[in-house]
Amino acid sequence: MGFLSGLMGNASEVDTEKLQAEFESILFDGETITQAYQVIRDMFVFTEYRLIIVDRQGVTGKKVEYHTIPFKSISQFAVETAGTFDMDTELKIWVSSAKEPLVKQFKSGTNIVAIQKAIAQGIFTK
């Protein structure tokens, strides 16, 4: 991922083979990463069973939250692309146990379509 695209918030695809070793302690035996996208320090990691949202926090990014959303619990999702005056894109995921959706905002130019396609693939191919 280029430094400038990272600053702008653009999502870029991450090499899943490299992440597989890094996420060994997070994944269960036999679970493999199928796709991953990085936006600045955060990541969207897709396995055959779930979406893992990695939120690096703090100045150093050493504090990390791993938010798992099983595909079977996603009841709906929506993406909003950037417009003329609203330059941000947005992803909303409704989880069956929550009243309000999980909302993530991205800068204009983020490949939000690739992220929504990965979510759709996880939901509709199981």
Side-chain angles (χ1 to χ4, degrees):
M1 176 169 96
F3 178 72
L4 185 58
S5 67
L7 287 177
M8 297 303 293
N10 296 337
S12 61
E13 200 158 355
V14 179
D15 183 1
T16 57
E17 289 181 21
K18 290 180 182 176
L19 281 183
Q20 192 71 35
E22 182 182 328
F23 277 71
E24 186 177 354
S25 63
I26 304 296
L27 304 175
F28 60 82
D29 292 341
E31 184 179 20
T32 57
I33 296 173
T34 58
Q35 296 176 55
Y37 299 92
Q38 185 160 3
V39 182
I40 306 177
R41 298 188 309 175
D42 299 340
M43 280 195 288
F44 291 80
V45 179
F46 295 88
T47 75
E48 57 272 77
Y49 305 104
R50 60 182 165 157
L51 164 60
I52 304 168
I53 300 174
V54 182
D55 182 11
R56 296 197 181 276
Q57 303 169 7
V59 176
T60 63
K62 288 186 178 187
K63 181 177 179 182
V64 182
E65 176 184 65
Y66 298 94
H67 186 155
T68 291
I69 303 172
F71 289 128
K72 65 182 180 182
S73 70
I74 297 175
S75 58
Q76 60 180 309
F77 64 97
V79 294
E80 182 180 294
T81 60
T84 303
F85 298 108
D86 183 8
M87 300 303 289
D88 294 334
T89 60
E90 193 171 79
L91 170 67
K92 295 179 185 176
I93 301 173
W94 283 265
V95 179
S96 58
S97 62
K99 292 182 182 182
E100 297 296 320
L102 171 71
V103 179
K104 291 287 187 179
Q105 291 189 332
F106 308 94
K107 300 289 184 214
S108 176
T110 299
N111 192 357
I112 195 75
V113 174
I115 294 173
Q116 78 85 33
K117 187 175 184 178
I119 294 171
Q121 183 176 354
I123 294 172
F124 300 122
T125 60
K126 301 296 171 220

